[in-house]
Amino acid sequence: MHLEDVWYYDDPLIMEKIISGCPVLEDFVLIRPIDFCNLDVLQFLRVRSLSLRSFRLTFEYSVSCTYFSVEIDAPRLEYLNFNDDQSDTIVVKNMTSLSMIDIDSEFNVKFGGSRLEPGDLRKRDIIRDFLTAISCVRHMIISRRTLEVLDRYSKLVPIPKFDNLYRLQAAVSRSMLQLLLVFLESCPNLENLILDFTVSTEPEQDGLTYVPQCLLSSLECVEIRELIMGEETGEKLVRYFLKNSVVLKKLILRLEDSSIANQDSDIFKELSTFTKRSRSCEVIIIH
């Protein structure tokens, strides 16, 4: 079932009634409408289902005069795509079957809400409960803006452990290297890491000195995408993973076409001189 721009008119519980009337629903996509202070917008979303296996929620933008909330209770849910920046309250529970999650949300912290401050216990608890509820997940895709919110969160309280997470795909930039390592520390059994790397004008953090547990015991494959070898931060990332990953089997570098055209062969000769802690590690260059 795919629903888009749903307005409730006379019945604020219409969505809950629709879902309860679909006892074998397995795949559900809901795109909440843009709200321009319309009182008929769907404010309270409750998704309760014993059959649901895949759910994609999108609620990106609102010029809101109202309060929004979302509750997801689906014990058989295996895949969740969560793109909600507007809900003031987020409740996710009974996620024991969750295998994969794609998170692109600021948890109403940056836009549409105040910054995450030490005294804001309510927002801090919402993020903590969300992370705890999905902590059994095995495969995670996480956006840059979500990581930025978790950076502020991690300065207040520790990020929960993701002991089952074996595959992580994260969008990062040069200013987020320290946060990346903090998040990796919460993934002690990670085996596969994909980094969608973005070259930005933001100042680089001095964050590549700490080595998370997964690099010492479980990380077998690292893939860095959109890499420009002539760019200093990209080279530091390559050196860091080669130098500190004990059981690394593959380091895959997907280079920008422009970086190939503008660099001479000396860069690739230099790559072969980088220190490798794992002697069996194979460096694969794709462009």
Side-chain angles (χ1 to χ4, degrees):
M1 180 165 61
H2 183 121
L3 299 178
E4 190 167 343
D5 290 344
V6 177
W7 305 81
Y8 71 77
Y9 296 104
D10 296 325
D11 189 352
L13 300 179
I14 185 63
M15 186 57 60
E16 186 173 357
K17 292 178 180 178
I18 291 174
I19 296 172
S20 65
C22 303
V24 295
L25 180 65
E26 294 189 359
D27 190 346
F28 183 31
V29 176
L30 176 62
I31 301 176
R32 299 176 80 168
I34 295 175
D35 167 36
F36 293 99
C37 295
N38 192 316
L39 297 180
D40 291 334
V41 74
L42 187 67
Q43 294 177 244
F44 306 102
L45 173 63
R46 183 177 292 124
V47 178
R48 291 179 177 175
S49 173
L50 295 176
S51 60
L52 196 63
R53 296 184 182 274
S54 175
F55 179 40
R56 179 164 71 90
L57 172 63
T58 299
F59 187 28
E60 293 183 311
Y61 179 74
S62 173
V63 182
S64 177
C65 303
T66 54
Y67 173 94
F68 296 99
S69 70
V70 58
E71 178 182 331
I72 305 172
D73 184 353
R76 294 186 181 179
L77 194 68
E78 298 173 0
Y79 171 74
L80 175 61
N81 185 310
F82 191 82
N83 185 354
D84 183 342
D85 288 333
Q86 303 301 323
S87 292
D88 301 277
T89 297
I90 301 171
V91 178
V92 177
K93 54 187 178 182
N94 293 327
M95 296 284 109
T96 54
S97 299
L98 193 65
S99 177
M100 180 178 178
I101 188 167
D102 188 338
I103 316 173
D104 185 11
S105 172
E106 291 174 322
F107 299 98
N108 199 12
V109 167
K110 193 171 183 180
F111 299 109
S114 61
R115 293 179 62 86
L116 188 62
E117 301 293 346
D120 195 342
L121 299 180
R122 180 178 171 278
K123 285 191 176 181
R124 190 177 71 186
D125 290 348
I126 286 174
I127 296 175
R128 179 203 62 200
D129 292 346
F130 180 91
L131 295 176
T132 302
I134 66 167
S135 61
C136 66
V137 73
R138 293 175 52 79
H139 181 185
M140 179 187 294
I141 301 173
I142 189 167
S143 71
R144 173 179 171 176
R145 60 201 190 121
T146 301
L147 279 175
E148 288 173 344
V149 173
L150 295 185
D151 182 26
R152 297 200 291 273
Y153 175 86
S154 68
K155 291 177 171 59
L156 303 178
V157 290
I159 297 174
K161 294 287 187 181
F162 293 90
D163 290 327
N164 295 330
L165 192 68
Y166 80 94
R167 184 179 178 88
L168 173 66
Q169 180 175 342
V172 297
S173 68
R174 62 186 297 174
S175 64
M176 301 174 63
L177 301 183
Q178 184 177 2
L179 168 60
L180 173 64
L181 301 187
V182 170
F183 193 77
L184 288 179
E185 184 61 33
S186 298
C187 313
N189 300 307
L190 190 70
E191 296 179 9
N192 294 276
L193 174 63
I194 300 173
L195 298 177
D196 295 314
F197 184 69
T198 302
V199 177
S200 67
T201 58
E202 300 167 334
E204 180 181 342
Q205 292 181 347
D206 296 327
L208 291 178
T209 55
Y210 173 72
V211 182
Q213 176 60 39
C214 62
L215 270 70
L216 302 175
S217 60
S218 63
L219 191 63
E220 297 182 352
C221 181
V222 174
E223 179 178 340
I224 306 177
R225 297 176 176 175
E226 306 297 326
L227 183 67
I228 299 177
M229 279 302 296
E231 196 272 330
E232 183 180 2
T233 306
E235 289 193 22
K236 283 184 178 181
L237 268 178
V238 173
R239 286 182 180 273
Y240 174 81
F241 283 110
L242 286 175
K243 181 180 179 181
N244 296 290
S245 302
V246 175
V247 297
L248 192 64
K249 295 179 180 179
K250 287 184 180 181
L251 176 62
I252 302 172
L253 307 178
R254 294 189 179 270
L255 305 184
E256 288 271 15
D257 289 343
S258 59
S259 71
I260 297 294
N262 296 327
Q263 306 298 332
D264 57 34
S265 59
D266 289 343
I267 285 182
F268 303 103
K269 291 178 181 178
E270 181 185 4
L271 184 61
S272 65
T273 66
F274 288 179
T275 302
K276 292 197 297 185
R277 189 165 182 180
S278 172
R279 294 183 178 181
S280 61
C281 178
E282 177 184 9
V283 179
I284 302 171
I285 299 176
I286 302 173
H287 57 86

